Structure formats: structure tokens, C-alpha cells
Amino acid sequence: MHKSRLAGFIIDCQTDDLTTAATFWSEALGYQPKPTTDDTDDIGYVVLDTGATDLRIEVQRVQHPSRVHLDIETDDIDAEVARLETLGAKRVKQVKSWWVMEAPTGQRFCVIAAEEGTFDHQG
């Protein structure tokens, strides 16, 4: 049987200035941006350092209206997507290795692969 859990929250920002958006959310939430070797404007998101909470918070540049969505991480994306479909969720779009889905109540969320070293694979 596969496992899944809440991975974190993604703050979608319809903006051309990701740095300013990330600065606002960093200061509003009290988490500093994690250092990156990439130019954040090129990768499209900034990860905030949430420390021991184990939930990811990312500020992401998007083309759709601004909103917040959550990610569900799993050790088996196909099995988790199928399980969620039996609960009434719909697949919206596959992006790289993950799925954007929609709950029966209309909220969008993503099903992503568990991040190495942070996901409990034990019984």
C-alpha cells in the first residue's frame, strides 16, 4: 500500500516580480527564503525555510489568478491519483512528474513525489 501526506502550501502569485512577492510572504510568515544557486526569477518559485515544521511553503510565479494551493506528497503518484479519483477528485493537468487535480468542491491541489529523506517509508 502506498503512503501520502500533506507536503505543504504553495502561494501562487500572478506577478512579474517574484522577488518582491517572496519578500512579502517571507516577512509576513516569518520564514527566510532558502538560499539557492539558481536565479529565482528563472526557476519560478522561492522556497521558504520552515525549519522543523516539515511542511514546505513556496512562493510561486503563475499565470492564473493568485491563490494558495496545497501539495500532497506520495511514494506512488499513480496510486494516490487513483485513490483521490475514487473520492471524487478529477485530474486537471499533468506537469512533469506530478498531477494538478481538482477536489469535488473546486479547490485545486497537486499530487507530487515524496521528497527524498523527508518522507516516512516505514509501516
Side-chain angles (χ1 to χ4, degrees):
M1 168 150 269
H2 77 281
K3 295 182 181 183
S4 61
R5 70 174 183 183
L6 175 63
F9 299 94
I10 314 304
I11 302 169
D12 295 337
C13 301
Q14 188 178 33
T15 183
D16 292 327
D17 188 352
L18 182 60
T19 301
T20 298
T23 298
F24 169 81
W25 285 108
S26 169
E27 292 178 11
L29 299 175
Y31 298 118
Q32 295 302 308
K34 281 188 176 181
T36 179
T37 56
D38 298 320
D39 178 1
T40 56
D41 283 332
D42 286 341
I43 59 175
Y45 65 91
V46 174
V47 176
L48 302 183
D49 188 353
T50 56
T53 66
D54 206 26
L55 288 178
R56 290 177 59 93
I57 298 177
E58 298 177 12
V59 180
Q60 176 176 272
R61 183 179 50 243
V62 296
Q63 299 302 313
H64 58 72
S66 297
R67 60 183 176 223
V68 175
H69 77 266
L70 61 86
D71 282 355
I72 296 174
E73 70 177 342
T74 181
D75 58 0
D76 186 335
I77 290 175
D78 293 334
E80 182 64 5
V81 166
R83 183 185 78 85
L84 293 165
E85 286 177 318
T86 66
L87 298 174
K90 295 184 282 188
R91 296 177 200 223
V92 174
K93 179 181 178 183
Q94 187 168 21
V95 180
K96 300 182 183 179
S97 63
W98 65 90
W99 276 96
V100 177
M101 298 193 71
E102 185 174 287
T105 50
Q107 293 88 354
R108 298 273 174 105
F109 61 95
C110 295
V111 178
I112 64 170
E115 193 171 314
E116 288 295 319
T118 65
F119 194 74
D120 178 19
H121 292 284
Q122 303 302 314

